Amino acid sequence: NFHDLAYTASQHIQAGMEIFVDYGEDYFVDVFENNGIHIPLREDHEKGDNIIWRFWNTVHGQVDTAHAKLLWTFTRQLASHNDRLLAALPSDPNDIPKAIKLGTAMFSVPNVVRTSEWLEKNGRCLDNIRPGQSTLEQAGRGAFATRSLRMG
């Protein structure tokens, strides 16, 4: 039964950050991999973070050299046996500093933090509704306004 669930943040959520619900890793395997889409799982991101740190240390932070680019191409080829791991790694070695700063999981979702302007234009606040059993017979569950809502 998924009615009236309460959620707890597992980390600080900054203003404008998109909030994701963890359906469990099996969801991504079942839904996406059967369609040829490989979504990195937690283990893949942990390995990816380890790989980019090792790469960074090996090239002494100089990711834009010919040597670093060749090494990164080789590194990705070694990872190509695991499609989810490969998807966790940045394609371009110039993106590695940002992936190190954010972690490969956050790096893989580039628009996870939205500006206040974007939220004003596109966002919706849901603190004005609450879930509950519908007052209409056989309608199931619905949402109820917690305060007056203007039309539009």
Side-chain angles (χ1 to χ4, degrees):
N1 176 328
F2 296 103
H3 303 305
D4 301 322
L5 287 178
Y7 295 97
T8 303
S10 60
Q11 65 186 41
H12 174 73
I13 301 172
Q14 69 185 68
M17 182 178 230
E18 187 171 354
I19 298 172
F20 297 95
V21 175
D22 185 354
Y23 293 108
E25 293 189 339
D26 290 340
Y27 171 82
F28 294 104
V29 173
D30 294 343
V31 173
F32 292 100
E33 288 205 8
N34 291 332
N35 295 313
I37 301 169
H38 304 285
I39 305 293
L41 305 178
R42 177 175 285 119
E43 175 184 350
D44 304 306
H45 284 297
E46 289 170 356
K47 287 179 183 176
D49 290 342
N50 188 355
I51 289 169
I52 62 175
W53 270 108
R54 286 179 168 206
F55 174 80
W56 178 262
N57 289 329
T58 300
V59 299
H60 306 290
Q62 303 298 314
V63 296
D64 57 353
T65 67
H67 168 74
K69 290 177 183 181
L70 184 63
L71 181 59
W72 187 244
T73 299
F74 179 68
T75 300
R76 285 182 50 84
Q77 285 174 348
L78 289 175
S80 66
H81 70 282
N82 180 336
D83 291 326
R84 290 192 312 261
L85 174 59
L86 188 60
L89 298 173
S91 300
D92 186 340
N94 292 313
D95 290 331
I96 289 176
K98 185 174 181 182
I100 286 174
K101 179 181 177 187
L102 299 174
T104 57
M106 292 296 286
F107 176 79
S108 69
V109 191
N111 294 321
V112 73
V113 178
R114 303 293 185 156
T115 65
S116 297
E117 294 78 22
W118 187 94
L119 290 172
E120 285 291 327
K121 181 178 178 185
N122 301 291
R124 299 287 184 266
C125 183
L126 296 179
D127 72 343
N128 54 3
I129 60 172
R130 66 168 176 77
Q133 185 67 39
S134 176
T135 57
L136 302 175
E137 192 174 325
Q138 298 181 345
R141 300 191 50 83
F144 294 83
T146 60
R147 61 178 180 263
S148 296
L149 304 172
R150 69 173 186 228
M151 189 168 85

